[in-house]
Amino acid sequence: MSYLADVMTWFPSFLARLRTWRLAVLYLCYALPGGCFLLVATPPFQTPDAANHFFRATQVAQGGWLAKSFSGTSGGPIDDGASDFAAIFDPIAHHPEVKLTTSMNERGRLIRWSGENRAAEFPNTAIYPAYGYAPQALAIAFGRAFNASVRATYVAACAAGLLGSVALTAWAIALARRTALALFAIASLPCTAMLFSSVSQDATVVPLCFLLIAFADRSIDEGVPVSPRALVLMALGCGLVVSARPPYAGLLLLMFAPGLRIDATRYAFVRRLVWFGATAAAAAFAALFFSRAGWAPVAPPRSLGGQLDYLSHAPLQIVHIVIATLNAYGGFYFASFVGVLGWLDASFRHGYYTLAMLMFAALALASALPADVQRASRAADRGAAVAVFAVSTAMIFGSLYLTWTPVGNAVVEGVQGRYFLALAPLLALAMPAPAARGSRNLSVQGRSARGARALCVVIVLAFPFVTFIELVDLILHRYYL
């Protein structure tokens, strides 16, 4: 009887994994062609801060793990070829009327790695940890070693980031349960595809966040105690993410989700606290270690001290700032979350964003309806997911208000929708979905709910096909026609 009970417990788990693996394979079928198209068709450095990310990755590839501060800015010496190559394509950024020309392409192909270094400024990426650029830096190191052109090296770096990020994301989808469909939908958005196919630390950070959320999701759903090895790997992943993106520190609160079983003894809460404290301390140390060397003071009218002084004298302004910010930029946050490509100068047609809203509505409904082989979610675990999302969101807005927004400004400046891609799958964990009942004795209401969920899933799975068609049209018109 015990053996039979074990089989009855294992078999639903096996079915759930089989379904999520199919979803992961479907994601690969969408992500790899779309990412390769963006990699080849998008001119170099036509994503936010692309040149500075490339400079930082080049610095790491040359052995410069720490950036340097100089003359009120920061960066460091990098090969002349990187700077010369980036300068060719700079006129395209922020200018929708400027297209890629044959002359740009020809000049770009001629530039080689010179072996001579020149001081370059990249203050907004100089503070990032070197390991966030590991795939791209490795590709750049190989390109320089084999005397490849800078353009070929740049493409190789983008390809390394694309393959690594897509592989990690597919793994996350296959691992997940309640969040699998949300991970698929968010990872298939054009904004995510843009980040994954560029030289950016987001190609490492975002899929690692997906993987952490998926692991917590599966562990909560299965109710199996987390092994010490898994705890160490989870701590390592959280440490990498939080040290690279400190506002994502809310992810550390996942450890306090009651459904995440740490220990059956009375010391479980103590182990959670120790894990949280040690991971947070390690991440803070790494973030300070890398950012201190490359930190550049913010220029007026921005001032960290001035902003803190302003808020201390008018703390109730925070409520007004939140409301004013959402009124001013709410539409932009949604559009840039779905995808405003280039340097925020390549928008899709309005109808595409409307379809995206419908897709997200279908995703929310599918997440709220019972799925096959799924346990009922507990209020405490849903609350933990909401807390993680809320804390990280507050830290994103708070950090940009303090460091990027002019003192006393009525709205928060600098926030973009892409900052929330890594956190959005948490909302699927917050949905109050009940457990699915067996296939026998289904009521009419139960069959209707199952049919509605199936229709919603089909809508979500079909949306990336629409995205690919719109993506090709957008890139061609923005950069070539």
Side-chain angles (χ1 to χ4, degrees):
M1 292 298 292
S2 176
Y3 175 76
L4 182 61
D6 290 342
V7 171
M8 294 301 291
T9 302
W10 170 83
F11 187 66
S13 174
F14 171 76
L15 287 179
R17 291 183 184 181
L18 183 62
R19 287 173 181 141
T20 53
W21 270 108
R22 289 176 180 172
L23 193 60
V25 171
L26 182 60
Y27 167 71
L28 290 174
C29 293
Y30 281 130
L32 289 176
C36 289
F37 170 76
L38 282 173
L39 191 154
V40 173
T42 305
F45 307 113
Q46 300 311 305
T47 55
D49 303 319
N52 285 2
H53 283 299
F54 184 62
F55 293 165
R56 177 62 174 139
T58 301
Q59 183 183 50
V60 174
Q62 295 181 198
W65 280 47
L66 296 177
K68 298 179 180 180
S69 299
F70 54 90
S71 304
T73 185
S74 60
I78 60 171
D79 194 290
D80 287 346
S83 300
D84 294 339
F85 181 66
I88 293 173
F89 303 95
D90 185 62
I92 302 176
H94 305 296
H95 297 284
E97 74 282 1
V98 179
K99 311 297 180 181
L100 180 67
T101 65
T102 303
S103 173
M104 291 178 183
N105 271 329
E106 292 300 324
R107 284 185 291 146
R109 289 193 183 96
L110 294 175
I111 295 179
R112 319 288 296 188
W113 296 104
S114 68
E116 299 293 331
N117 290 340
R118 178 197 313 167
E121 298 179 13
F122 42 97
N124 58 336
T125 61
I127 60 176
Y128 292 147
Y131 43 74
Y133 295 95
Q136 297 93 338
L138 187 62
I140 293 171
F142 272 104
R144 296 180 72 244
F146 288 96
N147 198 29
S149 67
V150 177
R151 184 183 183 91
T153 306
Y154 173 84
V155 172
C158 292
L162 174 65
L163 293 175
S165 58
V166 168
L168 287 174
T169 302
W171 184 15
I173 294 171
L175 195 67
R177 293 296 180 79
R178 290 171 52 79
T179 58
L181 190 63
L183 285 166
F184 172 88
I186 294 162
S188 302
L189 292 174
C191 185
T192 313
M194 174 191 71
L195 293 177
F196 284 4
S197 59
S198 64
V199 180
S200 169
Q201 72 159 358
D202 286 327
T204 302
V205 171
V206 173
L208 276 178
C209 289
F210 289 165
L211 201 55
L212 287 167
I213 294 170
F215 176 78
D217 175 20
R218 192 198 69 168
S219 299
I220 291 171
D221 186 76
E222 291 185 345
V224 177
V226 181
S227 68
R229 179 189 174 193
L231 282 176
V232 171
L233 291 176
M234 191 176 176
L236 180 61
C238 278
L240 291 174
V241 166
V242 175
S243 61
R245 287 276 192 235
Y248 290 170
L251 287 169
L252 295 171
L253 297 177
L254 278 174
M255 180 51 57
F256 296 100
L260 200 65
R261 294 180 58 190
I262 304 302
D263 197 339
T265 70
R266 59 181 178 175
Y267 300 109
F269 185 70
V270 174
R271 290 187 66 185
R272 292 177 196 264
L273 282 177
V274 171
W275 184 97
F276 175 85
T279 306
F285 174 80
L288 289 172
F289 176 76
F290 283 100
S291 64
R292 186 175 181 180
W295 182 261
V298 293
R302 303 176 180 92
S303 168
L304 177 60
Q307 203 73 286
L308 287 171
D309 182 65
Y310 167 73
L311 292 177
S312 66
H313 287 88
L316 293 181
Q317 280 295 108
I318 295 176
V319 177
H320 298 290
I321 292 169
V322 170
I323 296 172
T325 300
L326 292 178
N327 285 335
Y329 294 121
F332 168 73
Y333 293 155
F334 176 77
S336 57
F337 177 85
V338 174
V340 179
L341 305 190
W343 282 80
L344 301 178
D345 55 14
S347 298
F348 289 92
R349 291 175 287 193
H350 180 74
Y352 175 77
Y353 296 109
T354 302
L355 289 176
M357 291 182 67
L358 295 175
M359 185 275 291
F360 282 123
L363 174 62
L365 188 57
S367 299
L369 291 172
D372 293 339
V373 200
Q374 175 181 288
R375 301 188 184 196
S377 60
R378 298 192 302 177
D381 293 321
R382 297 198 302 272
V386 171
V388 172
F389 183 85
V391 168
S392 292
T393 298
M395 291 183 71
I396 290 171
F397 280 96
S399 61
L400 284 170
Y401 189 74
L402 293 174
T403 62
W404 188 252
T405 305
V407 176
N409 209 44
V411 297
V412 181
E413 301 288 354
V415 179
Q416 299 176 28
R418 62 189 173 96
Y419 300 157
F420 304 98
L421 289 170
L423 305 171
L426 287 164
L427 299 179
L429 278 179
M431 301 298 291
R437 297 181 179 181
S439 58
R440 297 180 181 179
N441 302 321
L442 274 178
S443 64
V444 174
Q445 183 179 7
R447 287 194 295 270
S448 298
R450 180 169 290 185
R453 186 180 189 280
L455 177 61
C456 291
V457 169
V458 169
I459 292 172
V460 174
L461 298 185
F463 186 72
F465 182 75
V466 177
T467 294
F468 185 76
I469 295 173
E470 292 289 327
L471 190 63
V472 172
D473 180 74
L474 175 67
I475 294 298
L476 291 179
H477 280 85
R478 169 59 183 90
Y479 297 112
Y480 298 96
L481 301 178

